[in-house]
Amino acid sequence: MAEDKYVNGVNVDQLMRTIEQIKNDPEIARFRFRATNRWVEGTYNRATIKDFYGACREDDTRSPMTFEIDEPPLLLGADRGINPVEYLLIALSGCLTTSLIAQAAARGIEIRGVQSRYEGDLDLRGFLGISEEVPVGYQNIRVYFSIEADLPEEQKEELILLAQRYSPVFNSIAKPVPVSVQLDGK
Amino acid sequence: MAEDKYVNGVNVDQLMRTIEQIKNDPEIARFRFRATNRWVEGTYNRATIKDFYGACREDDTRSPMTFEIDEPPLLLGADRGINPVEYLLIALSGCLTTSLIAQAAARGIEIRGVQSRYEGDLDLRGFLGISEEVPVGYQNIRVYFSIEADLPEEQKEELILLAQRYSPVFNSIAKPVPVSVQLDGK
């Protein structure tokens, strides 16, 4: 058997095989991701990631990874971790980057480097219940990409459009996602 | 001067002073959070958090914190970090927890412990461009809270409602946020 072809470090042959498998059996495409969180003190809490479900089976092979979450002193914390809205920008950054690289790889476009920066505006009057008029969440988020590749500007523009279109986190933020919150065991 | 009062590790007096200051000058409430990301290889990239703007000034006091982002082998990665949609659940977990604790603190309600777990359903046919009908982002997210406190069930229910209402990340996911993506320097 010939070796798999890689573009941008992405195994394009595995990607194409996965797409064919899913076309035959959409159940393979159903994933369930999970996190747990334990409050420590004040604005300080800790999240853990371990198992997930996907491709018709539970995956429990990863060691647990923990993440510290806190606020800066200005927001009543002690910087024992970065804050939740910063984790949201990390999620967005990882997803847009991977989405861009995968779209380029699927088209055989070689990329040398990708950097991006993220800015999100938040008006604390929402969180603090001071105003009902300002959004509680981010008012808006701006993303700026730098792509190193032998490509005309318009093809770079097309790549960042594709990155958005097929990014799960971008679409989870730009479009509403139903989130249900309840007491455990109810 | 009397010492500040703490509830659940939250400086409630500082919280109330902040609210009064913001009522007098809403500019204090305007925050801007930031992240940067650099692609490494394939599905592997790295995000960095450092500075932010808030309370009318730049804050550059924190050391840079980096976060590794990758996919499991099943999704063409090598587990060099957790994946973007898992970071989204971390963001949500930290925000709902802090929001719940702050709302309880503001009402003088003492909490002994809070744990929560998160499940998000994702159909990869969106990301892979196989179906235009399934959402590219999370189809839905379920959150389950356990609260240790001397409170009747209905007051715990009220706390998880308040946590959602005033959580910036919850509102950034449950409601649409405008996200603009462009090439840097354009």
Side-chain angles (χ1 to χ4, degrees):
Chain A
M1 250 174 82
E3 274 195 21
D4 281 354
K5 180 185 165 202
Y6 282 76
V7 180
N8 305 327
V10 174
N11 185 331
V12 178
D13 288 330
Q14 188 190 343
L15 178 60
M16 295 310 161
R17 284 195 300 270
T18 302
I19 290 173
E20 286 312 307
Q21 283 165 359
I22 289 173
K23 280 181 180 166
N24 290 327
D25 181 4
E27 186 61 29
I28 297 171
R30 294 168 66 88
F31 277 66
R32 179 168 292 172
F33 295 101
R34 303 183 183 112
T36 59
N37 184 293
R38 181 185 283 264
W39 173 57
V40 182
E41 184 215 28
T43 58
Y44 179 34
N45 58 75
R46 186 178 288 129
T48 302
I49 299 286
K50 179 160 172 49
D51 51 289
F52 68 93
Y53 172 87
C56 305
R57 63 180 178 77
E58 286 291 330
D59 188 313
D60 196 27
T61 56
R62 296 183 299 180
S63 300
M65 286 199 63
T66 63
F67 295 84
E68 313 287 315
I69 305 160
D70 196 7
E71 298 288 345
L74 192 58
L75 297 172
L76 310 179
D79 273 342
R80 286 157 292 195
I82 63 164
N83 81 11
V85 293
E86 291 174 322
Y87 275 105
L88 192 79
L89 297 183
I90 290 175
L92 180 62
S93 81
C95 205
L96 282 174
T97 300
T98 297
S99 180
L100 188 152
I101 289 294
Q103 291 295 331
R107 286 162 178 74
I109 298 170
E110 302 221 3
I111 304 286
R112 285 194 304 276
V114 178
Q115 292 179 55
S116 50
R117 53 194 184 88
Y118 301 76
E119 292 180 349
D121 296 330
L122 196 73
D123 190 323
L124 276 192
R125 287 179 294 169
F127 171 72
L128 293 170
I130 294 171
S131 167
E132 299 289 321
E133 277 141 50
V134 301
V136 174
Y138 272 121
Q139 296 172 294
N140 54 71
I141 297 172
R142 292 171 300 282
V143 182
Y144 304 93
F145 266 96
S146 300
I147 302 170
E148 293 164 57
D150 296 323
L151 292 175
E153 202 80 345
E154 58 265 32
Q155 224 174 328
K156 292 183 180 179
E157 298 275 11
E158 200 191 323
L159 279 177
I160 63 173
L161 281 175
L162 289 166
Q164 293 167 73
R165 182 167 176 189
Y166 294 108
S167 160
V169 174
F170 174 87
N171 282 277
S172 297
I173 295 172
K175 297 176 184 167
V177 174
V179 184
S180 71
V181 185
Q182 61 183 95
L183 288 176
D184 212 345
K186 291 217 65 172
Chain B
M1 251 175 83
E3 274 194 21
D4 281 353
K5 181 185 164 199
Y6 283 76
V7 180
N8 305 327
V10 174
N11 185 332
V12 179
D13 287 330
Q14 188 191 341
L15 179 59
M16 296 309 161
R17 282 194 302 271
T18 302
I19 290 173
E20 285 313 307
Q21 284 166 358
I22 289 174
K23 280 181 181 166
N24 289 327
D25 181 5
E27 186 60 30
I28 297 170
R30 296 169 65 90
F31 278 66
R32 178 168 294 174
F33 294 101
R34 303 183 183 112
T36 59
N37 184 294
R38 180 186 283 265
W39 173 56
V40 183
E41 184 215 29
T43 58
Y44 180 32
N45 59 75
R46 187 178 288 130
T48 302
I49 299 285
K50 179 159 172 49
D51 50 289
F52 68 92
Y53 172 86
C56 305
R57 63 179 178 78
E58 286 291 330
D59 188 314
D60 195 28
T61 56
R62 296 183 299 180
S63 299
M65 285 197 65
T66 63
F67 295 85
E68 312 288 316
I69 306 161
D70 195 8
E71 298 288 344
L74 191 57
L75 297 171
L76 310 181
D79 273 343
R80 287 157 290 195
I82 64 165
N83 81 10
V85 293
E86 292 175 321
Y87 275 105
L88 191 79
L89 297 182
I90 290 175
L92 180 62
S93 81
C95 204
L96 282 173
T97 300
T98 298
S99 180
L100 189 153
I101 289 295
Q103 289 295 330
R107 286 162 178 75
I109 298 170
E110 302 221 1
I111 305 286
R112 286 194 302 278
V114 178
Q115 292 179 55
S116 50
R117 53 194 185 85
Y118 300 77
E119 290 180 352
D121 296 331
L122 197 73
D123 190 323
L124 277 193
R125 287 178 295 170
F127 170 72
L128 294 170
I130 295 171
S131 167
E132 298 290 321
E133 276 141 52
V134 300
V136 174
Y138 272 123
Q139 296 172 294
N140 53 70
I141 297 173
R142 293 171 299 283
V143 183
Y144 303 93
F145 266 96
S146 300
I147 302 170
E148 291 163 58
D150 297 322
L151 292 176
E153 202 79 346
E154 59 266 31
Q155 225 175 327
K156 292 182 180 179
E157 298 275 12
E158 201 192 322
L159 279 177
I160 63 173
L161 281 175
L162 288 165
Q164 293 166 72
R165 183 169 175 187
Y166 295 109
S167 160
V169 174
F170 174 88
N171 282 277
S172 297
I173 296 172
K175 296 175 187 168
V177 174
V179 185
S180 70
V181 185
Q182 61 184 95
L183 288 176
D184 212 344
K186 293 217 68 173

